[in-house]
Amino acid sequence: MRLKLVPTETAWDFFRFTKVAIFGSSLAMIASILLFFVVGLNFGIDFRGGTTIRTEAHSEVDVAAYRGALQGLDLGDITITEVFDPSFEADQHVAMINVQAQEGQEAVTPETIAAIEAELQQVDPSITFPSVESVGPTVSGELVRTAIIAVALAITAVLIYIWLRFEWQFSLGAVAALVHDVTLTIGIFSLLQIRFDLAIIAALLTIVGYSLNDTVVVFDRVRENLRKYKKRPLGEVLNLSINETLSRTVMTSVTTLIALISLFVLGGDVIRGFVFAMIWGVIVGTYSSVFVASVVLLRLGVTRDWSKSDNGAGPGPGGGTQFSNVDA
């Protein structure tokens, strides 16, 4: 007996609530942009410059005591965060201390780090320092620029690929879905103030690939059905195509989420931000493939002359671009 997350054959009308979907997605994107500019992201040391010290102790973390001990060092902005993880032992208490880069220095000096450790050991003699990471402001600025360029180039490459693979209407639909996914991911990180570092940029690029994969599967079926049902309205063809690929879409998303949720619960705090971004990306990526990319394609319309040439070797005139029959 096979497991079926959705019926083998479905006939759901995904465009019944098109206006609601467009309104909801637009509102979510506007809210995400406002959160980014008003609240901002909780940038990690990778992007701000400075030093992150990880502490472990047998007694509970007293954030106020830690902060009071470090006040006399005049280090500027210090962020102290207690880390919770189900995999920790009962007497394992972890904190992350972020110290901003000092004026005129590329990173916090070893002498300053030693002073921080000495002050904290007076608060709790059992405290240890498993890791210390430092990034200078010059390097962090370069990382910010590189991260923005990486995401922009990924989306541009998708635009060109889909344009060559299908038509420009498909391309704009796919890119709209990717921009939607990236914007909402940045918005949720701004709202929850989860640390935003290089690992999250890697997650964003992975989300771009995952969302594109879902979208291309739907678009491939759309193109096949446009050739098969030449007289049907575009909305009906899109609905049919989404229903035909729905089982595959849901199964892929659910199995991916099972692995990601396991990593989120058991993987530890080091990769938790990355995994959270991936979980969120899978959810919004699946949604956008149906309710953003397809809706944009429906609004733009598409060439309906998908007839084969006389010899059946490929699409005839007007049947898409010269690359539309390339398997990739």
Side-chain angles (χ1 to χ4, degrees), residues 51 53 105 107-118 132 134:
T51 297
I53 302 174
Q105 297 179 359
V108 178
T109 63
E111 292 77 14
T112 302
I113 294 173
I116 293 172
E117 294 176 352
V132 178
S134 296

Side-chain angles (χ1 to χ4, degrees), residues 82-290:
E82 186 173 2
V83 178
F84 300 95
D85 194 292
S87 63
F88 288 166
E89 301 293 337
D91 63 343
Q92 186 179 9
H93 302 278
V94 178
M96 302 293 287
I97 301 174
N98 296 326
V99 184
Q100 70 177 14
Q102 303 301 296
E103 188 71 26
Q105 297 179 359
E106 283 295 306
V108 178
T109 63
E111 292 77 14
T112 302
I113 294 173
I116 293 172
E117 294 176 352
E119 292 293 336
L120 293 175
Q121 284 175 335
Q122 291 184 13
V123 175
D124 186 351
S126 69
I127 197 169
T128 58
F129 307 94
S131 66
V132 178
E133 300 177 359
S134 296
V135 177
T138 301
V139 175
S140 65
E142 292 175 356
L143 291 176
V144 171
R145 289 190 294 273
T146 303
I148 294 173
I149 291 172
V151 175
L153 286 178
I155 294 177
T156 303
V158 168
L159 176 69
I160 296 172
Y161 168 73
I162 300 296
W163 196 331
L164 296 177
R165 184 75 170 87
F166 299 96
E167 289 186 355
W168 67 268
Q169 297 97 326
F170 289 84
S171 181
L172 292 182
V175 169
L178 297 184
V179 172
H180 170 274
D181 299 344
V182 172
T183 302
L184 262 59
T185 302
I186 292 175
I188 196 69
F189 269 77
S190 180
L191 176 66
L192 301 179
Q193 286 296 289
I194 301 173
R195 187 173 61 182
F196 195 92
D197 52 24
L198 280 178
I200 308 306
I201 296 299
L204 287 177
L205 294 174
T206 307
I207 290 168
V208 168
Y210 184 91
S211 179
L212 175 62
N213 180 59
D214 263 356
T215 303
V216 167
V217 168
V218 175
F219 281 178
D220 258 330
R221 186 58 59 91
V222 170
R223 189 174 61 183
E224 292 173 7
N225 286 333
L226 284 171
R227 289 170 176 165
K228 188 176 180 181
Y229 304 105
K230 299 180 179 64
K231 301 301 182 182
R232 281 196 182 187
L234 179 57
E236 289 185 15
V237 175
L238 285 168
N239 243 330
L240 176 65
S241 303
I242 295 170
N243 276 284
E244 288 178 348
T245 57
L246 185 61
S247 178
R248 177 263 174 206
T249 299
V250 172
M251 182 63 74
T252 302
S253 298
V254 169
T255 52
T256 304
L257 285 173
I258 290 173
L260 290 173
I261 291 172
S262 300
L263 277 174
F264 185 81
V265 174
L266 304 174
D269 62 285
V270 175
I271 63 169
R272 184 155 290 140
F274 172 84
V275 177
F276 175 82
M278 287 298 303
I279 292 173
W280 176 258
V282 169
I283 295 171
V284 298
T286 303
Y287 165 86
S288 67
S289 297
V290 176

